[in-house]
Coordinates of all heavy atoms in Angstrom, one line a residue:
M3 N 0.8 -1.2 0.0 CA 0.0 0.0 0.0 C 0.9 1.3 0.0 O 0.5 2.2 -0.7 CB -0.9 0.0 1.2 CG -1.9 1.1 1.2 SD -3.0 0.9 -0.2 CE -4.2 2.2 0.2
H4 N 2.0 1.2 0.7 CA 2.9 2.4 0.8 C 3.4 2.7 -0.6 O 3.6 3.9 -1.0 CB 4.0 2.1 1.7 CG 3.7 2.1 3.2 ND1 3.2 3.3 3.8 CD2 3.7 1.2 4.1 CE1 2.9 3.0 5.0 NE2 3.2 1.7 5.3
A5 N 3.7 1.6 -1.4 CA 4.2 1.9 -2.7 C 3.2 2.5 -3.6 O 3.6 3.4 -4.5 CB 4.7 0.5 -3.3
V6 N 1.9 2.2 -3.5 CA 0.9 2.8 -4.3 C 0.8 4.3 -4.0 O 0.7 5.1 -4.8 CB -0.5 2.1 -4.1 CG1 -1.6 2.8 -4.8 CG2 -0.4 0.6 -4.6
V7 N 0.8 4.6 -2.7 CA 0.7 6.0 -2.2 C 1.9 6.8 -2.7 O 1.8 7.9 -3.3 CB 0.6 6.1 -0.7 CG1 0.7 7.5 -0.2 CG2 -0.8 5.5 -0.2
A8 N 3.1 6.2 -2.5 CA 4.3 6.9 -2.9 C 4.3 7.1 -4.4 O 4.7 8.2 -4.9 CB 5.5 6.0 -2.5
G9 N 4.0 6.1 -5.2 CA 3.9 6.3 -6.7 C 2.9 7.3 -7.1 O 3.2 8.1 -8.0
S10 N 1.8 7.3 -6.4 CA 0.7 8.3 -6.8 C 1.2 9.7 -6.5 O 1.0 10.6 -7.3 CB -0.6 8.0 -6.0 OG -1.1 6.7 -6.4
V11 N 1.8 9.9 -5.3 CA 2.3 11.2 -4.9 C 3.4 11.7 -5.9 O 3.4 12.8 -6.3 CB 2.8 11.2 -3.4 CG1 3.6 12.4 -3.1 CG2 1.7 11.0 -2.5
A12 N 4.3 10.8 -6.2 CA 5.3 11.1 -7.2 C 4.8 11.5 -8.5 O 5.2 12.5 -9.1 CB 6.3 9.9 -7.3
A13 N 3.8 10.7 -9.0 CA 3.2 11.0 -10.3 C 2.5 12.4 -10.3 O 2.6 13.2 -11.3 CB 2.3 9.9 -10.8
I14 N 1.7 12.6 -9.3 CA 0.9 13.8 -9.3 C 1.8 15.0 -9.1 O 1.6 16.1 -9.8 CB -0.1 13.8 -8.1 CG1 -1.2 12.8 -8.5 CG2 -0.7 15.1 -7.8 CD1 -2.1 12.4 -7.3
T15 N 2.8 14.9 -8.3 CA 3.8 16.0 -8.1 C 4.5 16.3 -9.4 O 4.6 17.5 -9.8 CB 4.8 15.7 -7.0 OG1 4.1 15.4 -5.8 CG2 5.8 16.8 -6.8
T16 N 5.0 15.3 -10.1 CA 5.7 15.5 -11.3 C 4.7 16.2 -12.4 O 5.1 17.1 -13.1 CB 6.2 14.2 -11.9 OG1 7.1 13.6 -10.9 CG2 6.9 14.4 -13.2
Y17 N 3.5 15.7 -12.4 CA 2.5 16.2 -13.4 C 2.3 17.7 -13.1 O 2.2 18.5 -14.0 CB 1.2 15.5 -13.3 CG 0.1 16.0 -14.2 CD1 0.1 15.7 -15.5 CD2 -0.9 16.8 -13.6 CE1 -0.9 16.1 -16.3 CE2 -1.9 17.2 -14.5 CZ -1.9 16.9 -15.8 OH -2.9 17.4 -16.6
L18 N 2.2 18.1 -11.8 CA 1.9 19.5 -11.5 C 3.2 20.4 -11.7 O 3.0 21.6 -12.0 CB 1.4 19.6 -10.1 CG 0.1 19.0 -9.8 CD1 -0.3 19.0 -8.3 CD2 -1.0 19.6 -10.6
L19 N 4.3 19.9 -11.5 CA 5.6 20.7 -11.5 C 6.1 20.8 -12.9 O 6.9 21.8 -13.2 CB 6.6 20.1 -10.6 CG 6.4 20.2 -9.1 CD1 7.6 19.6 -8.3 CD2 6.3 21.7 -8.8
T20 N 5.8 19.9 -13.8 CA 6.4 20.0 -15.2 C 6.1 21.3 -15.9 O 7.0 21.9 -16.4 CB 6.0 18.8 -16.0 OG1 6.5 17.6 -15.4 CG2 6.5 18.8 -17.4
P21 N 4.9 21.8 -15.9 CA 4.6 23.1 -16.6 C 5.4 24.2 -15.9 O 5.9 25.1 -16.6 CB 3.1 23.3 -16.5 CG 2.5 21.9 -16.2 CD 3.6 21.2 -15.5
L22 N 5.5 24.2 -14.6 CA 6.3 25.2 -13.9 C 7.8 25.1 -14.3 O 8.4 26.2 -14.5 CB 6.1 25.1 -12.4 CG 4.7 25.2 -11.9 CD1 4.6 24.9 -10.4 CD2 4.2 26.6 -12.1
A23 N 8.3 23.9 -14.4 CA 9.7 23.8 -14.8 C 9.9 24.3 -16.2 O 10.9 24.9 -16.5 CB 10.1 22.3 -14.7
I24 N 9.0 24.0 -17.1 CA 9.1 24.5 -18.5 C 9.1 26.1 -18.5 O 9.9 26.7 -19.1 CB 8.0 24.0 -19.4 CG1 8.2 22.5 -19.5 CG2 7.9 24.7 -20.7 CD1 7.0 21.7 -20.2
R25 N 8.2 26.7 -17.7 CA 8.1 28.1 -17.7 C 9.4 28.7 -17.1 O 9.9 29.7 -17.6 CB 6.9 28.6 -16.9 CG 5.7 28.6 -17.7 CD 4.5 29.2 -17.0 NE 4.0 28.0 -16.2 CZ 2.9 28.0 -15.5 NH1 2.1 29.0 -15.5 NH2 2.5 26.9 -14.9
L26 N 9.9 28.1 -16.1 CA 11.2 28.6 -15.5 C 12.3 28.4 -16.5 O 13.2 29.3 -16.6 CB 11.5 27.8 -14.2 CG 12.8 28.1 -13.5 CD1 12.8 29.6 -13.0 CD2 13.0 27.2 -12.3
A27 N 12.4 27.3 -17.2 CA 13.4 27.2 -18.2 C 13.3 28.2 -19.3 O 14.3 28.8 -19.8 CB 13.3 25.8 -18.8
V28 N 12.1 28.5 -19.8 CA 11.9 29.6 -20.8 C 12.3 30.9 -20.2 O 13.0 31.7 -20.9 CB 10.5 29.6 -21.3 CG1 10.2 30.8 -22.1 CG2 10.2 28.3 -22.0
R29 N 11.9 31.2 -19.0 CA 12.2 32.5 -18.4 C 13.7 32.7 -18.2 O 14.2 33.8 -18.3 CB 11.5 32.6 -17.1 CG 11.5 34.0 -16.5 CD 10.7 34.2 -15.2 NE 9.3 33.9 -15.5 CZ 8.5 33.2 -14.6 NH1 9.0 32.9 -13.4 NH2 7.3 33.0 -14.9
T30 N 14.4 31.6 -17.9 CA 15.9 31.8 -17.7 C 16.7 31.4 -18.9 O 17.9 31.3 -18.8 CB 16.3 30.9 -16.5 OG1 15.9 29.5 -16.8 CG2 15.6 31.3 -15.2
S31 N 16.0 31.1 -20.0 CA 16.7 30.7 -21.3 C 17.6 29.5 -21.1 O 18.7 29.4 -21.5 CB 17.6 31.9 -21.8 OG 16.8 33.0 -22.1
F32 N 17.0 28.5 -20.4 CA 17.7 27.2 -20.1 C 17.2 26.2 -21.1 O 16.3 25.5 -20.9 CB 17.4 26.8 -18.7 CG 18.3 25.8 -18.1 CD1 19.4 25.3 -18.8 CD2 18.1 25.3 -16.8 CE1 20.2 24.3 -18.3 CE2 18.9 24.4 -16.3 CZ 20.0 23.9 -17.0
F33 N 17.8 26.2 -22.3 CA 17.4 25.4 -23.4 C 18.4 24.4 -23.9 O 19.6 24.7 -23.8 CB 17.0 26.3 -24.6 CG 15.8 27.1 -24.4 CD1 16.0 28.5 -24.2 CD2 14.5 26.6 -24.5 CE1 14.9 29.3 -24.1 CE2 13.4 27.4 -24.3 CZ 13.6 28.8 -24.1
D34 N 18.0 23.3 -24.5 CA 18.8 22.4 -25.2 C 18.7 22.9 -26.7 O 17.6 22.8 -27.3 CB 18.4 21.0 -25.1 CG 19.2 20.0 -25.8 OD1 20.4 20.3 -26.1 OD2 18.8 18.9 -26.1
L35 N 19.8 23.4 -27.2 CA 19.8 23.9 -28.6 C 20.0 22.8 -29.6 O 20.8 21.9 -29.4 CB 20.8 25.0 -28.7 CG 20.7 26.2 -27.7 CD1 21.8 27.2 -27.8 CD2 19.3 26.9 -27.9
P36 N 19.3 23.0 -30.8 CA 19.5 22.0 -31.8 C 21.0 21.9 -32.3 O 21.7 22.9 -32.3 CB 18.6 22.4 -32.9 CG 17.7 23.4 -32.3 CD 18.4 24.0 -31.1
A37 N 21.4 20.8 -32.6 CA 22.7 20.6 -33.2 C 22.6 19.4 -34.2 O 21.6 18.7 -34.3 CB 23.8 20.2 -32.2
G38 N 23.6 19.2 -35.0 CA 23.6 18.2 -36.1 C 23.2 16.8 -35.6 O 22.5 16.1 -36.3
Y39 N 23.6 16.4 -34.5 CA 23.4 15.1 -34.0 C 22.1 14.9 -33.2 O 21.8 13.8 -32.8 CB 24.6 14.6 -33.2 CG 24.9 15.4 -31.9 CD1 24.3 15.0 -30.7 CD2 25.7 16.5 -32.0 CE1 24.5 15.7 -29.6 CE2 25.9 17.2 -30.8 CZ 25.3 16.9 -29.6 OH 25.6 17.6 -28.5
K40 N 21.4 16.0 -32.9 CA 20.2 16.0 -32.1 C 19.0 15.9 -33.0 O 19.0 16.4 -34.1 CB 20.2 17.2 -31.2 CG 21.3 17.2 -30.2 CD 21.2 18.4 -29.3 CE 22.4 18.4 -28.3 NZ 22.4 19.5 -27.4
G41 N 18.0 15.3 -32.4 CA 16.8 15.0 -33.2 C 15.7 16.2 -33.3 O 14.7 16.0 -33.9
H42 N 16.0 17.2 -32.5 CA 15.0 18.3 -32.5 C 15.4 19.5 -33.3 O 16.6 19.7 -33.5 CB 14.6 18.7 -31.1 CG 15.8 19.1 -30.2 ND1 16.3 20.3 -30.2 CD2 16.5 18.3 -29.4 CE1 17.3 20.4 -29.4 NE2 17.5 19.2 -28.9
R43 N 14.5 20.2 -33.8 CA 14.8 21.4 -34.7 C 14.6 22.7 -33.9 O 15.2 23.7 -34.3 CB 13.9 21.4 -35.9 CG 14.0 20.2 -36.8 CD 13.2 20.4 -38.1 NE 13.0 19.1 -38.8 CZ 13.9 18.5 -39.5 NH1 15.1 19.1 -39.7 NH2 13.6 17.4 -40.1
K44 N 13.8 22.7 -32.9 CA 13.6 24.0 -32.1 C 14.3 23.8 -30.7 O 14.4 22.7 -30.2 CB 12.1 24.2 -31.8 CG 11.3 24.4 -33.1 CD 9.9 24.8 -32.8 CE 9.2 23.9 -31.8 NZ 7.8 24.1 -31.6
P45 N 14.7 24.9 -30.1 CA 15.2 24.8 -28.7 C 14.2 24.1 -27.8 O 13.0 24.4 -27.9 CB 15.5 26.2 -28.3 CG 15.7 27.0 -29.6 CD 14.8 26.3 -30.6
T46 N 14.7 23.2 -27.0 CA 13.8 22.5 -26.1 C 14.2 22.9 -24.6 O 15.3 22.8 -24.2 CB 14.1 21.0 -26.3 OG1 13.8 20.6 -27.6 CG2 13.2 20.2 -25.4
P47 N 13.2 23.3 -23.8 CA 13.5 23.7 -22.5 C 14.0 22.5 -21.6 O 13.5 21.4 -21.7 CB 12.1 24.2 -21.9 CG 11.2 24.1 -23.0 CD 11.8 23.4 -24.2
Y48 N 15.0 22.8 -20.8 CA 15.5 21.8 -19.9 C 14.6 21.9 -18.6 O 13.6 22.6 -18.6 CB 16.9 22.2 -19.5 CG 18.0 21.6 -20.4 CD1 18.9 22.5 -21.0 CD2 18.1 20.2 -20.6 CE1 19.9 22.0 -21.8 CE2 19.1 19.7 -21.4 CZ 20.0 20.6 -22.0 OH 21.0 20.1 -22.8
L49 N 15.0 21.3 -17.6 CA 14.4 21.3 -16.2 C 13.2 20.3 -16.1 O 12.7 20.2 -15.0 CB 14.0 22.7 -15.8 CG 15.2 23.7 -15.7 CD1 14.6 25.0 -15.2 CD2 16.2 23.2 -14.7
G50 N 12.8 19.6 -17.1 CA 11.8 18.6 -16.9 C 12.3 17.5 -16.0 O 11.6 17.0 -15.1
G51 N 13.6 17.2 -16.0 CA 14.2 16.2 -15.1 C 14.1 16.7 -13.7 O 14.0 15.9 -12.7
S52 N 14.2 18.0 -13.5 CA 14.1 18.5 -12.1 C 12.7 18.3 -11.6 O 12.5 18.0 -10.4 CB 14.4 20.0 -12.1 OG 15.8 20.2 -12.4
A53 N 11.7 18.4 -12.4 CA 10.3 18.2 -12.0 C 10.1 16.7 -11.6 O 9.5 16.3 -10.6 CB 9.3 18.6 -13.1
I54 N 10.7 15.8 -12.4 CA 10.7 14.4 -12.1 C 11.4 14.1 -10.8 O 10.9 13.3 -10.0 CB 11.3 13.6 -13.3 CG1 10.4 13.7 -14.5 CG2 11.5 12.1 -12.9 CD1 11.0 13.2 -15.8
F55 N 12.6 14.7 -10.6 CA 13.4 14.5 -9.5 C 12.6 14.9 -8.2 O 12.6 14.2 -7.2 CB 14.7 15.2 -9.6 CG 15.6 14.9 -8.4 CD1 16.2 13.6 -8.3 CD2 15.9 15.9 -7.5 CE1 17.0 13.3 -7.2 CE2 16.8 15.6 -6.5 CZ 17.3 14.3 -6.3
V56 N 12.0 16.1 -8.2 CA 11.2 16.5 -7.0 C 10.0 15.6 -6.8 O 9.7 15.2 -5.7 CB 10.7 18.0 -7.2 CG1 9.8 18.4 -6.1 CG2 11.9 18.9 -7.3
G57 N 9.4 15.1 -7.9 CA 8.3 14.1 -7.7 C 8.8 12.9 -7.1 O 8.2 12.3 -6.2
L58 N 10.0 12.4 -7.5 CA 10.6 11.2 -6.9 C 10.8 11.4 -5.4 O 10.5 10.6 -4.6 CB 11.9 10.9 -7.6 CG 12.7 9.7 -7.0 CD1 12.1 8.4 -7.3 CD2 14.1 9.8 -7.5
L59 N 11.4 12.6 -5.1 CA 11.7 12.8 -3.6 C 10.4 12.9 -2.8 O 10.4 12.4 -1.7 CB 12.5 14.1 -3.5 CG 13.9 14.1 -4.0 CD1 14.6 15.5 -3.8 CD2 14.7 13.0 -3.3
T60 N 9.4 13.5 -3.4 CA 8.1 13.6 -2.6 C 7.5 12.2 -2.5 O 6.9 11.9 -1.4 CB 7.1 14.5 -3.2 OG1 6.8 14.2 -4.6 CG2 7.6 16.0 -3.2
G61 N 7.7 11.4 -3.5 CA 7.2 10.0 -3.4 C 7.9 9.2 -2.4 O 7.3 8.4 -1.6
V62 N 9.2 9.4 -2.3 CA 10.0 8.7 -1.3 C 9.6 9.1 0.1 O 9.4 8.3 1.0 CB 11.5 8.9 -1.5 CG1 12.3 8.5 -0.3 CG2 12.0 8.2 -2.8
A63 N 9.4 10.5 0.3 CA 9.0 11.0 1.6 C 7.6 10.5 1.9 O 7.3 10.1 3.1 CB 9.0 12.5 1.5
A64 N 6.7 10.4 1.0 CA 5.3 9.9 1.2 C 5.3 8.5 1.6 O 4.5 8.0 2.4 CB 4.4 10.2 0.0
G65 N 6.2 7.7 1.0 CA 6.3 6.3 1.3 C 7.0 5.9 2.6 O 7.0 4.8 3.1
G66 N 7.6 6.9 3.2 CA 8.4 6.7 4.5 C 9.9 6.7 4.2 O 10.3 5.8 3.5
L67 N 10.6 7.7 4.6 CA 12.0 7.8 4.3 C 12.7 7.0 5.4 O 12.9 7.5 6.5 CB 12.5 9.2 4.3 CG 14.0 9.4 4.0 CD1 14.3 8.9 2.6 CD2 14.3 10.9 4.0
H68 N 13.1 5.8 5.1 CA 13.8 4.9 6.1 C 15.3 5.3 6.0 O 15.8 5.8 5.1 CB 13.6 3.4 5.7 CG 12.1 3.0 5.7 ND1 11.4 2.9 6.9 CD2 11.3 2.8 4.7 CE1 10.2 2.6 6.7 NE2 10.1 2.5 5.3
R69 N 15.9 5.0 7.1 CA 17.3 5.3 7.3 C 18.2 4.7 6.2 O 19.1 5.4 5.7 CB 17.8 4.8 8.6 CG 19.0 5.4 9.2 CD 19.4 4.8 10.5 NE 19.9 3.5 10.3 CZ 19.6 2.4 11.1 NH1 18.9 2.6 12.2 NH2 20.1 1.2 10.8
H70 N 17.9 3.6 5.7 CA 18.7 3.0 4.6 C 18.5 3.6 3.3 O 19.3 3.4 2.3 CB 18.5 1.4 4.6 CG 17.1 1.0 4.3 ND1 16.2 0.9 5.3 CD2 16.5 0.7 3.1 CE1 15.0 0.5 4.7 NE2 15.2 0.3 3.4
Y71 N 17.5 4.5 3.1 CA 17.3 5.2 1.8 C 18.2 6.4 1.7 O 18.4 7.0 0.7 CB 15.9 5.6 1.6 CG 14.9 4.5 1.4 CD1 13.6 4.6 1.8 CD2 15.3 3.3 0.7 CE1 12.7 3.6 1.5 CE2 14.4 2.3 0.5 CZ 13.1 2.5 0.9 OH 12.2 1.5 0.7
V72 N 18.6 6.9 2.9 CA 19.3 8.2 2.9 C 20.5 8.3 2.0 O 20.7 9.2 1.2 CB 19.7 8.6 4.4 CG1 20.6 9.9 4.4 CG2 18.4 8.9 5.2
P73 N 21.4 7.3 2.0 CA 22.6 7.4 1.1 C 22.1 7.4 -0.4 O 22.8 8.1 -1.2 CB 23.4 6.1 1.3 CG 23.0 5.7 2.7 CD 21.5 6.1 2.9
I74 N 21.1 6.7 -0.7 CA 20.6 6.7 -2.1 C 20.0 8.1 -2.5 O 20.3 8.6 -3.6 CB 19.5 5.6 -2.3 CG1 20.1 4.2 -2.1 CG2 18.9 5.7 -3.7 CD1 19.1 3.1 -2.0
V75 N 19.3 8.7 -1.6 CA 18.7 10.0 -1.8 C 19.9 11.0 -2.0 O 19.8 11.9 -2.9 CB 17.7 10.4 -0.7 CG1 17.3 11.8 -0.9 CG2 16.5 9.5 -0.8
V76 N 20.9 11.0 -1.1 CA 22.0 11.9 -1.1 C 22.7 11.7 -2.5 O 23.0 12.7 -3.1 CB 22.9 11.7 0.1 CG1 24.2 12.5 -0.1 CG2 22.2 12.1 1.3
A77 N 23.0 10.5 -2.9 CA 23.6 10.3 -4.2 C 22.8 10.8 -5.3 O 23.3 11.4 -6.3 CB 23.9 8.8 -4.4
A78 N 21.5 10.6 -5.3 CA 20.6 11.1 -6.3 C 20.6 12.6 -6.4 O 20.6 13.2 -7.5 CB 19.2 10.6 -6.1
V79 N 20.7 13.3 -5.3 CA 20.7 14.8 -5.2 C 22.0 15.2 -5.9 O 22.0 16.2 -6.7 CB 20.6 15.3 -3.8 CG1 21.0 16.8 -3.7 CG2 19.2 15.1 -3.3
I80 N 23.1 14.6 -5.6 CA 24.4 15.0 -6.1 C 24.4 14.8 -7.7 O 24.9 15.6 -8.4 CB 25.6 14.2 -5.5 CG1 25.7 14.6 -4.0 CG2 26.9 14.3 -6.2 CD1 26.6 13.7 -3.2
I81 N 23.9 13.6 -8.1 CA 23.8 13.3 -9.5 C 22.9 14.3 -10.3 O 23.3 14.9 -11.3 CB 23.4 11.9 -9.8 CG1 24.5 10.9 -9.3 CG2 23.0 11.7 -11.3 CD1 24.0 9.5 -9.2
W82 N 21.8 14.7 -9.6 CA 20.9 15.6 -10.2 C 21.5 17.0 -10.3 O 21.5 17.7 -11.4 CB 19.6 15.8 -9.4 CG 18.8 17.0 -9.7 CD1 17.9 17.2 -10.8 CD2 18.8 18.2 -9.0 NE1 17.4 18.4 -10.8 CE2 18.0 19.1 -9.7 CE3 19.5 18.7 -7.9 CZ2 17.8 20.4 -9.3 CZ3 19.3 20.0 -7.5 CH2 18.4 20.8 -8.1
A83 N 22.2 17.4 -9.3 CA 22.9 18.7 -9.3 C 24.0 18.8 -10.3 O 24.1 19.8 -11.1 CB 23.5 19.0 -7.9
M84 N 24.8 17.7 -10.4 CA 25.8 17.7 -11.4 C 25.3 17.7 -12.8 O 25.8 18.4 -13.7 CB 26.7 16.5 -11.2 CG 27.6 16.6 -10.0 SD 28.5 15.1 -9.6 CE 29.2 14.6 -11.2
G85 N 24.2 17.0 -13.1 CA 23.6 16.9 -14.4 C 23.0 18.2 -14.8 O 23.1 18.7 -15.9
T86 N 22.3 18.9 -13.9 CA 21.7 20.2 -14.2 C 22.8 21.2 -14.4 O 22.7 22.0 -15.4 CB 20.8 20.6 -13.0 OG1 19.8 19.6 -12.8 CG2 20.1 21.9 -13.3
A87 N 23.8 21.2 -13.6 CA 25.0 22.1 -13.9 C 25.6 21.9 -15.2 O 26.0 22.8 -15.9 CB 26.0 22.0 -12.7
D88 N 25.8 20.6 -15.6 CA 26.3 20.3 -16.9 C 25.5 20.8 -18.0 O 26.0 21.2 -19.0 CB 26.6 18.8 -17.0 CG 27.1 18.3 -18.3 OD1 28.2 18.8 -18.6 OD2 26.5 17.6 -19.0
D89 N 24.1 20.6 -17.9 CA 23.2 21.1 -18.9 C 23.4 22.6 -19.1 O 23.3 23.1 -20.2 CB 21.8 20.8 -18.6 CG 21.5 19.3 -18.7 OD1 22.3 18.6 -19.3 OD2 20.5 18.8 -18.1
K90 N 23.5 23.3 -18.0 CA 23.7 24.8 -18.1 C 25.0 25.2 -18.7 O 25.1 26.0 -19.5 CB 23.5 25.4 -16.7 CG 23.4 26.9 -16.7 CD 22.2 27.3 -17.5 CE 22.0 28.8 -17.5 NZ 21.0 29.3 -18.4

C-alpha cells in the first residue's frame, strides 16, 4: 500500500511541476539547442528532469524515508545537481 501511495504522490507532483519547470526554463533561457546530431529542430526547455526528481523525492517521503534510503537520496541529489549544472 505504501508503494501505491508513494507512486501516486510522485506522479501527481511531477505532473503538476512539469509546466512550472518549463516556464522557469523559458524565463531563464535554459534550453537544449539543436545541433547536427540531435533530433529536434527547435530549442527544447530543460528542467523537466528537475520536476521528475522533485516528484521522486516527494514519493520517497510519502512512502516513508527509512534510514537505509538516505545514502541513495543523497547520491541522487548529487547526480541531479551535477547533471543540471552540466546542462547549463
Side-chain angles (χ1 to χ4, degrees):
M3 185 65 172
H4 289 295
V6 172
V7 170
S10 298
V11 168
I14 291 167
T15 302
T16 301
Y17 178 79
L18 294 174
L19 288 180
T20 298
L22 299 174
I24 292 170
R25 279 185 276 194
L26 179 62
V28 169
R29 189 174 303 142
T30 60
S31 299
F32 196 3
F33 292 105
D34 182 20
L35 301 175
Y39 62 92
K40 296 181 179 180
H42 54 86
R43 298 186 197 280
K44 299 187 309 187
T46 303
Y48 276 121
L49 299 179
S52 295
I54 293 169
F55 184 68
V56 172
L58 173 74
L59 290 179
T60 57
V62 168
L67 183 59
H68 300 288
R69 202 179 68 218
H70 60 274
Y71 291 151
V72 172
I74 296 169
V75 170
V76 169
V79 168
I80 292 168
I81 292 167
W82 165 80
M84 289 174 47
T86 302
D88 179 62
D89 289 343
K90 190 60 177 169

